[in-house]
């Protein structure tokens, strides 16, 4: 500014506010700018967020969409190729068949031969070119078509030029020629890579021999021989070949044709009318056995060698046994086969034979022996279980002999005469021929079992006297029990089982005679009781002795002409003896079986006494005594409940027998012991609830007596019941016991109500009709007036009762 400008001129040109005012104006402008800036920044942030939200889904969708995958083929190319080739071959084969069967007659002989020959040769030659080009699958399809055309050529040849020849014979020759031709075609160097011709050749080779036999009207022997020879050739092919479809075809052919041949030969052996027919059938079976043995011995790749050897051994047994059977009576059929089966064991000793072959012969011999033993089982079962038919007519009289004793209602088998011979022979083989250490013990046990079965059968087989049969069974039982002394577990179990089974059969046989029954049961009881001294068999022999003793007691009562109810007493003696024996045994393994048998005998005694109420009451009381004595032992406390129940039942039955109809006579015998038991429990456990200690006993008497009192027109029962209820209530109040107080008070109130009910009814009838509603209204008013006081009193009573035990 120029210096010559005066202050007055500047003051007139611009109005300058005071400093304080100017500062205020500047602050206001700055605040407005800051507010506008904040508003714009907020708007900007919102716009940015909105843009992000709109662009994020599109990006997510773009990233979530995978790239388009190429369509996956549902079928592989080789599969499509094979399907097309097979379908094409089938269609061409059908077309050729239609041409041959339908359109053949429209051409001359030269045309026919030219067309079929040209098509067949061209089809068979095509695989060579296809193989050179690497088209193996196509070559296989075309080769299959060519093989089918050769079959059509054979048919066409027969239809055109050889129609007068026998169809079956021509089929046999054609199948042989086709087998040779297909084999040669498959073995040519140019077509050796084809896998179809050789299996087809082997398959068609199964029919020439069979068809030739059928065309010649051969016998069943020739047909079986043709089948077996074919199976033998298949077996040779199996041995020579290593693997592949050809070997599989040979295996199937060997088993199939061999199975049919063996079935026909076995039927011929079974129905042979004489030694000649049986010999021819046996020769066929031996041929089948030789084929099986050759396949098992020479075939290094045979995995079923053991099964083949077993089959061969069984075929030899059937062959030689059938020959022997044809010249012997029918009852010798099984022994004849058994002899051949035992002879097979000679091959087991041959060291030059492979192990699989020796084991196979051993198994075959064992199978034959097992079947022979099964043949004898009906006879053994008849001897053991046949006497059970006399249960409906016990003591009908001693039979004439041992056979009549066992075959009571079942006829004796006609071919059972040689059953002992079979059993002894197998037993001897088991005892002498089995030398392997791991099988020797089992074989000896099996031999002992077979000898036992033989001894059982012999008395009936030879029709020994009845007493002699009993003696034999008794001796067997004694020997079996004595054999229980051995220490080997398996042998001991076997001897024990044999003893129990024999004793059962002996007891059944003895039922025919009264004296025999008593003597047999006495001897058996003594034998099993004596055997029970050994702790290892006592868990089985001691219960058996008790059962026999109970049976002896029953038989003795029946022999004395006692009624069943009286017989229950000696039976109950056995139950008491069982309880004493169990107490003596303590913690032995025999204790529980003895107790179980004793309980069962007690139930049997109760069942015998059911028809006589006084005797039933006595038997129940004695059972209760036995149970109470058992409950005194350690660990048998719960039996005390059963003892109590038995005593109560005994009392009830006795009262019923006396025609007592007063319910208190039935309930008081329960209430008094129950209250005593409750008092003892409260003494031992002061914390026990009075409901648990005294509730059941009081309810048992009070409830039936209340029911009887409400129906009793006299005053005696209500008076006595009311007095008893009052006494119970006072005792409950005296000792602060909740159950006696509540139950006694309830019973007293109900008895009082019952006694006062007639008077209430009389008073109600004497009053006017308005009096009862008026009295009810007054009562309600009184109750309403003193409601709070009554509520407080009720609470105090409830608390006082709740504080009781």
């Amino acid at each position: 500014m120029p210096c010559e400008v005066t202050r007055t001129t500047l003051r007139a040109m611009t109005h300058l506010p005071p400093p304080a005012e100017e500062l205020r104006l500047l602050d206001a402008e700055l605040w407005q700018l800051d507010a506008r800036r904040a508003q714009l920044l907020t708007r900007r942030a919102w716009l940015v967020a909105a843009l992000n939200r709109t662009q994020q889904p599109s990006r997510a969708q773009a990233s979530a969409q995978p790239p388009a995958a190429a369509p996956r083929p549902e079928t592989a190319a080789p599969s499509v190729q094979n399907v097309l080739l097979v379908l094409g071959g089938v269609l061409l084969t059908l077309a050729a068949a239609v041409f041959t069967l339908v359109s053949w007659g429209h051409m001359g002989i030269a045309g026919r031969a030219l067309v079929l020959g040209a098509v067949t040769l061209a089809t068979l030659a095509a695989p060579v070119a296809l193989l050179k080009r690497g088209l193996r699958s196509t070559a296989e399809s075309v080769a299959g078509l060519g093989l089918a055309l050769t079959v059509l050529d054979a048919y066409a040849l027969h239809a055109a030029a050889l129609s007068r020849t026998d169809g079956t014979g021509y089929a046999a020759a054609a199948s042989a020629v086709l087998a040779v031709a297909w084999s040669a075609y498959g073995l040519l160097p140019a077509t050796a890579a084809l896998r179809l011709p050789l299996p087809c050749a082997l398959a068609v080779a199964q029919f020439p021999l069979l068809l030739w036999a059928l065309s010649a009207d051969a016998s069943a022997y020739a047909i079986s021989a043709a089948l077996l020879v074919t199976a033998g050739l298949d077996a040779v092919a199996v041995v020579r070949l290593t693997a592949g479809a050809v070997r599989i075809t040979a295996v199937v052919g060997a088993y199939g044709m061999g199975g049919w041949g063996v079935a026909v030969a076995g039927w011929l052996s079974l129905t042979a009318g004489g030694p000649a027919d049986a010999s021819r059938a046996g020769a066929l079976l031996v041929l089948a056995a030789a084929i099986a043995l050759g396949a098992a011995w020479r075939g290094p790749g045979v995995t079923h060698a053991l099964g083949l050897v077993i089959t061969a051994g069984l075929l030899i047994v059937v062959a030689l046994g059938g020959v022997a059977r044809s010249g012997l009576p029918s009852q010798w059929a099984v022994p004849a086969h058994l002899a051949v089966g035992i002879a097979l064991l000679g091959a087991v000793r041959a060291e030059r034979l492979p192990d699989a072959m020796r084991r196979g012969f051993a198994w075959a011999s064992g199978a034959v022996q097992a079947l022979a033993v099964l043949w004898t089982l009906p006879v053994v079962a008849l001897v053991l279980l046949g006497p059970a038919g006399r249960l409906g007519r016990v003591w009908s009289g001693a039979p004439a002999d041992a056979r009549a004793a066992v075959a009571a209602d079942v006829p004796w088998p006609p071919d059972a005469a040689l059953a002992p011979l079979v059993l002894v022979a197998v037993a001897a083989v088991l005892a002498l021929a089995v030398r392997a250490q791991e099988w020797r013990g089992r074989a000896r046990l099996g031999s002992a079992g077979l000898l036992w079965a033989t001894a059982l059968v012999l008395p009936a087989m030879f029709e020994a006297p009845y007493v002699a049969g009993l003696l034999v069974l008794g001796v067997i039982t004694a020997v079996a029990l004595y054999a229980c002394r051995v220490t080997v577990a398996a042998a001991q179990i076997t001897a024990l089982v044999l003893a129990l089974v024999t004793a059962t059969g002996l007891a059944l046989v003895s039922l025919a005679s009264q004296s025999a029954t008593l003597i047999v049961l006495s001897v058996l009881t003594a034998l099993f009781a004596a055997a029970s001294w050994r702790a290892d068999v006592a868990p089985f022999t001691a219960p058996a002795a008790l059962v026999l003793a109970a049976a002896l007691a029953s038989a003795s009562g029946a022999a004395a002409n006692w009624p069943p109810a009286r017989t229950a007493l000696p039976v109950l003696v056995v139950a008491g003896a069982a309880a004493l024996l169990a107490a003596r045994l303590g913690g032995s393994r025999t204790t529980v079986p003895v107790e179980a048998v004793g309980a069962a005998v007690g139930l049997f005694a109760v069942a015998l006494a059911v028809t006589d109420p006084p005797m039933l009451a006595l038997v129940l009381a004695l059972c209760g005594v036995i149970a109470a004595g058992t409950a005194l032992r350690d660990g048998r406390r719960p039996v005390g409940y059963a003892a109590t129940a038995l005593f109560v039942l005994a009392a009830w039955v006795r009262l019923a027998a006396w025609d007592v109809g007063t319910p208190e006579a039935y309930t008081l015998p329960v209430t008094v012991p129950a209250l005593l038991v409750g008092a003892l429990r409260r003494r031992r456990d002061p914390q026990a609830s009075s409901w648990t200690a005294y509730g059941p006993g009081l309810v048992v008497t009070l409830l039936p007596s209340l029911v009887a009192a409400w129906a009793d027109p006299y005053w005696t029962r209500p008076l006595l019941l009311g007095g008893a209820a009052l006494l119970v209530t006072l005792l409950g109040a005296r000792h602060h016991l909740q159950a006696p107080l509540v139950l006694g008070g309830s019973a007293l109130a109900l008895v009082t109500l019952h006694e006062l009910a007639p008077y209430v009814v009389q008073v109600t009838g004497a009053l006017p009709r308005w009096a009862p509603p008026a009295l009810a209204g007054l009562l309600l008013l009184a109750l309403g007036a003193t409601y709070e006081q009554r509520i407080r009193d009720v609470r105090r009573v409830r608390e006082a009762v709740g504080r009781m035990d």
Side-chain angles (χ1 to χ4, degrees):
M1 177 180 297
C3 59
E4 62 267 11
V5 178
T6 63
R7 186 181 303 269
T8 304
T9 305
L10 292 174
R11 187 177 296 118
M13 292 176 57
T14 306
H15 175 73
L16 295 175
E21 183 66 15
E22 185 176 3
L23 181 60
R24 184 184 66 79
L25 294 174
L26 290 176
D27 291 338
E29 291 292 337
L30 290 174
W31 180 85
Q32 291 180 359
L33 290 175
D34 291 337
R36 183 61 179 171
R37 176 180 175 83
Q39 182 181 3
L40 294 176
L41 289 175
T42 302
R43 180 64 179 174
R44 181 180 183 278
W46 183 86
L47 292 174
V48 171
L51 290 175
N52 291 335
R53 284 194 302 268
T54 55
Q55 294 178 0
Q56 186 174 1
S58 60
R59 294 176 181 176
Q61 293 176 359
S63 60
Q65 291 179 355
R72 182 178 62 86
E74 296 182 358
T75 307
S79 300
V80 175
Q81 166 191 312
N82 294 333
V83 170
L84 294 176
L85 292 176
V86 171
L87 183 59
V90 170
L91 293 177
L92 289 175
T93 303
L94 292 176
V98 171
F99 170 77
T100 304
L101 298 176
V102 178
S103 301
W104 182 257
H106 299 288
M107 301 178 64
I109 184 64
R112 302 172 191 171
L114 180 62
V115 170
L116 277 178
V119 171
T120 302
L121 291 177
T123 304
L124 293 176
V128 178
L130 294 173
L131 288 174
K132 291 181 179 181
R133 294 179 175 270
L135 303 176
R136 183 171 180 175
S137 299
T138 306
E140 293 284 356
S141 300
V142 176
L145 175 61
L147 298 180
L149 289 175
T150 56
V151 176
L152 294 176
D153 290 341
Y155 169 76
L157 180 61
H158 179 267
L162 303 174
S163 58
R164 296 182 179 181
T165 59
D166 179 55
T168 307
Y170 179 79
S175 59
V177 172
L178 289 176
V180 174
W182 291 355
S183 299
Y185 180 72
L187 294 175
L188 291 175
T191 57
L194 296 175
R195 292 176 294 182
L196 191 60
L198 291 180
C200 292
L202 191 56
V204 78
Q206 309 297 316
F207 303 103
L209 293 178
L210 176 62
L211 293 175
W212 270 327
L214 293 175
S215 64
D217 293 331
S219 63
Y221 297 95
I223 294 175
S224 177
L227 292 171
L228 293 175
V229 171
T230 304
L233 296 176
D234 291 331
V236 172
V238 172
V239 173
R240 296 294 182 183
L241 299 174
T242 56
V246 182
R247 191 172 187 274
I248 294 175
T249 306
V251 170
V252 173
Y255 279 110
M257 304 301 284
W260 281 108
V262 168
V264 175
W267 175 256
L268 293 174
S269 177
L270 184 64
T271 59
D277 295 338
S279 299
R280 287 188 291 175
L284 293 174
L285 293 173
V286 170
L287 174 61
I291 295 172
L293 288 177
W297 195 355
R298 296 296 184 181
V302 175
T303 57
H304 305 287
L306 181 61
L308 290 173
V309 176
I310 294 174
T311 303
L314 294 176
L315 290 175
I316 292 174
V317 171
V318 174
L320 300 182
V323 174
R325 184 188 67 249
S326 63
L328 295 173
S330 59
Q331 59 184 358
W332 284 90
V334 174
H337 287 83
L338 178 61
V340 179
I342 295 175
L344 281 179
L345 294 176
V348 179
R349 305 299 179 189
E351 299 294 338
R352 298 179 58 184
L353 295 178
D355 292 339
M357 190 168 293
R358 290 190 294 170
R359 286 191 291 113
F361 280 128
W363 280 102
S365 177
V368 173
Q369 296 177 57
L371 292 174
V373 171
L374 287 177
W375 175 74
T376 64
L377 285 185
V379 183
V380 179
L382 178 60
V383 172
L384 288 175
L385 303 178
R390 296 184 179 274
L391 291 176
R393 51 180 188 276
V394 178
W395 297 350
S396 58
D401 50 42
R403 179 178 297 184
V406 298
D409 299 324
V410 181
W412 186 256
D415 296 336
L418 296 177
L421 176 62
V422 172
L423 292 172
V424 171
V426 178
V429 171
L430 291 176
L432 300 176
V434 179
R435 298 182 180 180
Q437 190 65 29
E438 65 273 14
W439 292 97
R440 189 165 181 79
R442 302 174 188 177
R444 289 182 176 180
L445 292 179
S447 177
L450 294 176
L451 292 177
W452 165 80
T454 305
L456 287 180
V457 172
L458 284 178
M461 187 67 62
F462 292 105
E463 297 181 286
Y466 175 64
V467 177
L470 294 177
L471 289 175
V472 170
L473 293 177
V475 171
I476 295 174
T477 304
V479 172
L481 287 175
Y482 182 79
C484 292
R485 298 169 58 89
V486 297
T487 58
V488 181
Q492 190 178 73
I493 293 174
T494 302
L496 183 60
V497 171
L498 296 181
L500 292 173
V501 173
T502 309
T504 303
L506 177 58
L508 292 175
V509 173
S510 67
L511 294 178
S513 173
Q514 176 179 322
S515 58
T517 301
L518 297 176
I519 294 174
V520 166
L521 290 178
S522 301
V523 172
L524 289 178
T525 303
L527 287 176
F528 279 91
S532 300
W533 287 104
R534 292 186 58 86
D536 47 359
V537 297
F540 303 96
T541 56
L546 291 173
V547 171
L548 291 169
L552 178 61
S554 302
S556 300
N561 293 324
W562 288 357
R566 189 176 180 183
T567 307
L569 293 178
V571 172
L572 200 58
V573 173
V574 179
L580 294 176
L581 178 60
R584 180 69 180 274
L585 292 173
S588 174
R589 294 188 301 117
T590 314
T591 304
V592 175
V594 167
E595 289 177 341
V597 173
V601 172
L603 291 176
F604 178 62
V606 172
L608 290 175
V610 166
T611 57
D612 190 351
M615 185 60 68
L616 177 61
L618 177 60
V619 171
L620 288 172
L622 293 176
C623 289
V625 172
I626 296 173
T630 304
L632 296 176
R633 295 164 42 205
D634 293 337
R636 297 295 186 269
R637 303 301 183 192
V639 184
Y641 297 106
T644 304
L646 289 170
F647 284 131
V648 171
L649 288 175
W652 287 357
V653 171
R654 184 70 264 181
L655 293 173
W658 287 337
D659 295 330
V660 176
T662 303
E664 287 79 9
Y666 294 90
T667 57
L668 286 177
V670 180
T671 297
V672 174
L675 293 178
L676 291 176
V677 172
L680 292 175
R681 181 174 182 181
R682 288 274 300 176
R683 178 174 296 180
R684 293 181 180 180
D685 184 13
Q687 301 298 324
S689 174
S690 62
W691 289 100
T692 305
Y694 304 115
L698 293 175
V699 169
V700 167
T701 295
L702 292 177
L703 185 60
S705 297
L706 277 173
V707 175
W710 276 72
D712 194 348
Y714 302 101
W715 59 272
T716 307
R717 187 189 303 275
L719 178 60
L720 295 176
L721 179 60
L726 178 59
L727 179 61
V728 171
T729 304
L730 294 176
L731 290 174
R734 171 68 179 80
H735 297 282
H736 299 279
L737 298 176
Q738 192 178 67
L741 180 61
V742 173
L743 294 176
S746 300
L748 181 60
L750 292 174
V751 171
T752 304
L753 178 62
H754 174 266
E755 293 302 315
L756 296 179
Y759 300 102
V760 174
V761 172
Q762 292 177 5
V763 172
T764 304
L767 293 175
R769 293 186 177 182
W770 55 267
L775 292 175
L778 292 175
L779 178 62
L780 292 176
L781 289 176
L783 290 176
T786 58
Y787 182 78
E788 185 177 0
Q789 181 65 31
R790 296 295 180 269
I791 292 296
R792 186 163 50 250
D793 294 341
V794 171
R795 288 177 180 174
R796 291 177 181 177
V797 173
R798 185 176 61 186
E799 292 174 357
V801 175
R803 286 194 295 270
M804 296 181 181
D805 295 332

